[in-house]
């Protein structure tokens, strides 16, 4: 099942919107970009808190709202010859750009451990740590980001961003441009014995 937002169940709910700092970007500088104060803190700008965002005039010069607006580069899932399914960019992507959001069911660390105990040794799992003892499980449902494969020399990285008070997980391109058709990889950050 494909999600467009993280699924909170049971006692877990989306956090309250916290006070988002106002960045110091200006229209004269071209709006918010890579140098935006909020972006450097891995935090998206919010309506009413960004001097380059004037919704009343329909003008948006803020380029630090792609997770909220879901304006990601195109990506596609494809079958590889030797590793199963994978994810690749559908267009040229510059360095340090948000590629796709990693979505799933929000569960507790305890539930994560219980689910892992039920999996067999050859089962795939798609857990990612959120915050405050919460995890994302993208195995039963999630986004296409779950198809990105592990690589010891990856071309992207997983980052936690704060979006209007909620911790969200995204894949971000590395320091090099990704040409159209490049497979998206990141380091899962685990090791295996043996």
């Amino acid at each position: 099942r494909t999600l467009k937002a993280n699924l909170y169940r049971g006692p877990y709910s989306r956090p309250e919107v916290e006070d988002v700092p106002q960045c110091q970007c200006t229209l004269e500088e071209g709006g918010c970009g890579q140098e935006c104060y909020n972006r450097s803190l891995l935090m998206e700008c919010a309506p009413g808190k960004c001097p380059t965002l004037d919704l009343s005039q329909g003008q948006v010069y803020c380029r630090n709202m792609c997770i909220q607006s879901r304006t990601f580069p195109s990506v596609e899932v494809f079958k590889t010859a030797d590793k199963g399914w994978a994810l690749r960019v559908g267009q040229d992507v510059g360095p340090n750009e948000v590629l796709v959001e990693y979505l799933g069911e929000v569960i507790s660390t305890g539930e994560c451990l219980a689910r892992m105990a039920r999996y067999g040794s050859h089962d795939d799992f798609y857990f990612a740590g959120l915050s405050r003892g919460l995890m994302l499980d993208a195995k039963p449902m999630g986004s296409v980001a779950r198809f990105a494969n592990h690589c010891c020399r990856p071309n992207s990285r997983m980052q936690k961003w704060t979006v209007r008070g909620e911790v969200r997980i995204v894949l971000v391109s590395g320091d090099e441009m990704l040409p159209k058709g490049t497979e998206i990889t990141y380091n899962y950050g685990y090791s295996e014995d043996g």
Side-chain angles (χ1 to χ4, degrees):
R1 181 170 146 202
T2 303
L3 297 177
K4 292 189 185 233
N6 288 324
L7 178 63
Y8 287 82
R9 289 195 177 169
Y12 312 111
S13 61
R14 205 168 301 288
E16 296 294 321
V17 175
E18 62 185 39
D19 192 27
V20 178
Q22 182 167 321
C23 68
Q24 303 302 311
C25 301
T26 66
L27 293 175
E28 293 76 27
E29 296 170 339
C32 297
Q34 294 285 344
E35 293 79 33
C36 176
Y37 173 76
N38 285 346
R39 184 180 176 92
S40 68
L41 297 173
L42 302 182
M43 180 180 300
E44 281 201 339
C45 294
K49 293 288 187 171
C50 179
T52 70
L53 181 65
D54 186 356
L55 296 177
S56 66
Q57 302 296 318
Q59 297 175 332
V60 178
Y61 296 96
C62 180
R63 293 181 311 250
N64 186 33
M65 295 180 67
C66 67
I67 302 169
Q68 293 172 73
S69 62
R70 302 187 51 76
T71 51
F72 306 117
S74 67
V75 296
E76 63 180 350
V77 176
F78 70 102
K79 183 82 166 154
T80 69
D82 57 346
K83 355 176 224 197
W85 295 99
L87 188 65
R88 65 181 163 207
V89 292
Q91 65 188 70
D92 292 345
V93 176
N96 304 306
E97 293 293 329
V98 176
L99 299 170
V100 63
E101 185 173 6
Y102 195 92
L103 298 169
E105 182 182 4
V106 178
I107 59 174
S108 69
T109 304
E111 176 62 19
C112 174
L113 294 172
R115 289 181 184 190
M116 287 181 75
R118 290 192 300 263
Y119 293 156
S121 61
H122 296 294
D123 282 337
D124 293 327
F125 57 91
Y126 303 91
F127 296 110
L130 271 176
S131 65
R132 301 180 329 235
L134 297 178
M135 304 286 290
L136 277 183
D137 184 0
K139 185 176 178 92
M141 62 192 80
S143 69
V144 296
R146 71 186 225 146
F147 292 102
N149 286 314
H150 169 78
C151 182
C152 293
R153 290 182 308 282
N155 58 19
S156 67
R157 61 193 170 276
M158 188 176 266
Q159 289 182 341
K160 292 180 187 180
W161 280 64
T162 302
V163 181
R164 300 178 86 174
E166 181 183 4
V167 175
R168 312 263 286 266
I169 297 176
V170 293
L171 291 176
V172 177
S173 62
D175 296 331
E176 307 282 327
M177 188 186 114
L178 299 179
K180 178 180 178 178
T182 302
E183 181 181 349
I184 298 169
T185 60
Y186 70 101
N187 189 324
Y188 289 176
Y190 67 83
S191 61
E192 294 184 39
D193 293 335

